């Protein structure tokens, strides 16, 4: 695979898809309810995924696509070249706020992340990386994350995880919330990951994410030194859903050990 | 007071202040700690307030200024024309994210809100209103908020208020968080108020805000039908700090009655 060529092609279709989405705001957005009320999906969401599939298959028919909307073939292994795509991460923001939603794309070769993209569609802001080469924010190189203390950290976490729940000991999360300088919640995993990668947040925690939520982000994370794992400190499982913590390298282990206790 | 003339002048100095702040990002930001670690303040913050004071005093020396940085005279009553100014709401975002901070200005005549402005400095997005005339988002009229059910609401609330605290019964807030469709937290009261006003959020709750956090927002709120009160359902006290709830009119009373229980 010619990485440089794929990178240029990926950027090209991301910018085009972004333009299509921005144009579509002039039309009404038709919404239906997926599996639950938190999981809105729109025509634009699906059309964007189909747009990516069509373009990628034209570019190289052997590339496979693992997408949130499931419009591509069924992907049961990460052999060969696999594009992991979320056409619109932050669908509720998309519908309600017309901002704060991202296109997230990761390109993997035999399971290894080679290219990563998070694109803020309304701001036209691109975070991207080429594995082993570097990471950029709109063509400016992203710096390695600088160490900081947990008391100085601003973390992304949803209020739900601070309440009693089946997955983790919420008392420890309360302790974390009280220890850090501040918390934020934006309603888009890819946005919060992009913020950690660029030092705008210092950690982001979620009890359950799908591969397409993080497929782009983890490739970029590696290039800036952000650490991304599941709650066992292991690599996120890309063929199912998993827990997820991405953080500044100075506080990742501390958060895992001191503040996250999974219920078994 | 010629409202139209003051409105034009206010917009002019807000846009100029925004330009100054964006320019200043080319220089280093000098930070000091105010009363606590959550309360960062920068030179730019103070210089922006001084800029406003100077311009307003030139415009009309009888106008008084109640500002977060306290660079103006001491304001102990709302008699006459008072500008309530937060030069940078969301200081931590300003320092760390270089986005998501607002200039907030409300202009009051004998305690009555006449003009309101919330300006997203980096996006160059203006939310504003003239009392009794209307509200705008970048010159497009803002619509009256449409009714919705609490289960459909997305609310702004900080994770801290979901944990045991001295001010309110957090168990009821947990119930609220579980009832609504989603929660967000942006780290800028003025941003969250602007989002409620424009239907991007449906409520925003805070246990303690200062007049400059909401002085601009409550004037705009009235024009779109958003309801803004303290936790007693009364008008926010502009001469001290107070509790604050702004919400879609369909859910304001419900949130107050069912989910907010102050500890006395």
């Amino acid at each position: 695979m010619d990485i440089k060529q794929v990178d240029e092609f990926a950027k090209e279709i991301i910018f085009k898809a972004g333009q299509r989405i921005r144009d579509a705001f002039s039309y009404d957005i038709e919404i239906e309810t997926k599996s639950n009320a938190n999981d809105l999906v729109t025509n634009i969401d699906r059309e964007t995924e189909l747009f990516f599939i069509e373009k990628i298959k034209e570019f190289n028919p052997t590339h496979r696509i693992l997408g949130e909307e499931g419009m591509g073939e069924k992907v049961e292994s990460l052999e060969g070249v696999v594009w992991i795509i979320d056409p619109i991460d932050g669908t509720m923001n998309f519908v309600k706020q017309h901002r704060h939603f991202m296109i997230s794309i990761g390109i993997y070769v035999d399971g290894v992340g080679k290219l990563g993209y998070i694109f803020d569609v309304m701001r036209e802001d691109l975070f991207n990386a080429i594995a082993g080469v570097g990471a950029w924010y709109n063509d400016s190189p992203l710096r390695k994350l600088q160490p900081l203390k947990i008391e100085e950290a601003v973390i992304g976490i949803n209020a739900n995880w601070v309440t009693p729940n089946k997955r983790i000991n919420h008392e420890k999360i309360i302790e974390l919330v009280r220890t850090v300088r501040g918390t934020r919640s934006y309603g888009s995993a890819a946005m919060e990951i992009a913020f950690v990668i660029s030092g705008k947040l210092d950690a982001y925690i979620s009890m359950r994410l799908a591969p397409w939520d993080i497929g782009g982000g983890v490739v970029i994370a590696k290039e800036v030194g952000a650490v991304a794992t599941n709650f066992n400190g292991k690599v996120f499982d890309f063929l199912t859903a998993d827990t997820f913590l991405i953080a500044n390298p100075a506080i990742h282990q501390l958060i895992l050990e001191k503040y996250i206790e999974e219920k078994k």
Side-chain angles (χ1 to χ4, degrees), chain A:
Chain A
M1 190 175 98
D2 179 341
I3 289 286
K4 206 74 201 120
Q5 189 198 17
V6 177
D7 178 50
E8 271 164 33
F9 168 70
K11 281 183 187 162
E12 186 192 313
I13 58 175
I14 287 168
F15 293 146
K16 274 191 187 152
Q19 188 59 54
R20 286 166 56 100
I21 295 170
R22 290 191 300 276
D23 290 347
F25 273 122
S26 24
Y27 301 93
D28 276 339
I29 299 170
E30 195 183 307
I31 301 154
E32 57 172 293
T33 299
K34 272 204 297 200
S35 56
N36 67 56
N38 276 313
D39 215 352
L40 297 169
V41 66
T42 64
N43 285 338
I44 297 169
D45 216 342
R46 287 208 222 133
E47 273 163 25
T48 305
E49 185 161 313
L50 281 174
F51 169 82
F52 280 124
I53 292 171
E54 195 185 300
K55 293 291 173 193
I56 294 163
K57 289 294 183 187
E58 265 171 44
F59 178 77
N60 188 327
T62 72
H63 289 196
R64 294 182 305 146
I65 296 110
L66 175 60
E68 183 179 17
E69 300 307 319
M71 318 293 281
E73 70 265 68
K74 205 162 162 53
V75 173
E76 285 173 333
S77 85
L78 290 184
E79 264 172 69
V81 180
V82 177
W83 293 57
I84 302 180
I85 297 183
D86 195 343
I88 295 179
D89 183 79
T91 316
M92 212 192 307
N93 293 343
F94 171 67
V95 172
K96 203 170 171 86
Q97 305 191 337
H98 295 188
R99 67 176 75 182
H100 292 175
F101 58 89
M102 311 283 136
I103 293 172
S104 171
I105 294 184
I107 304 174
Y108 288 71
V109 178
D110 294 328
V112 180
K114 294 292 185 186
L115 295 161
Y117 309 86
I118 297 173
F119 184 57
D120 183 326
V121 175
M122 298 312 286
R123 283 183 70 112
E124 302 184 52
D125 259 3
L126 180 68
F127 303 82
N128 78 296
I130 302 174
V133 179
W136 297 267
Y137 170 53
N138 294 334
D139 298 329
S140 299
L142 280 171
R143 276 177 281 187
K144 292 271 177 198
L145 297 180
Q146 296 304 304
L148 87 171
K149 293 186 196 133
I150 189 78
E151 292 80 12
E152 297 163 338
V154 179
I155 65 169
I157 185 160
N158 192 278
N160 268 303
W161 308 125
V162 186
T163 72
N165 65 78
K166 285 181 197 161
R167 297 180 184 279
I168 49 161
N169 179 350
H170 76 288
E171 298 285 355
K172 293 204 164 183
I173 297 291
I174 290 177
E175 220 183 299
L176 174 62
V177 166
R178 289 181 175 162
T179 301
V180 296
R181 176 163 292 170
T183 64
R184 301 284 184 272
S185 182
Y186 299 108
S188 156
M191 179 171 172
E192 302 192 49
I193 294 167
F195 272 28
V196 174
I197 285 160
S198 53
K200 298 179 195 305
L201 286 177
D202 305 302
Y204 166 63
I205 300 171
S206 180
M207 304 307 131
R208 195 171 177 80
L209 289 180
W212 39 83
D213 295 319
I214 67 152
V218 296
V219 180
I220 314 173
K222 221 171 192 176
E223 295 307 310
V224 297
V227 185
T229 67
N230 64 19
F231 288 173
N232 297 316
K234 302 273 165 57
V235 173
F236 186 94
D237 181 354
F238 274 105
L239 291 172
T240 113
D242 205 345
T243 54
F244 188 68
L245 167 67
I246 181 168
N248 182 297
I251 58 172
H252 182 276
Q253 193 60 26
L254 177 68
I255 293 176
L256 264 195
E257 280 177 10
K258 192 165 173 190
Y259 300 106
I260 294 181
E261 182 189 326
E262 273 193 276
K263 292 182 181 169
K264 301 287 177 188

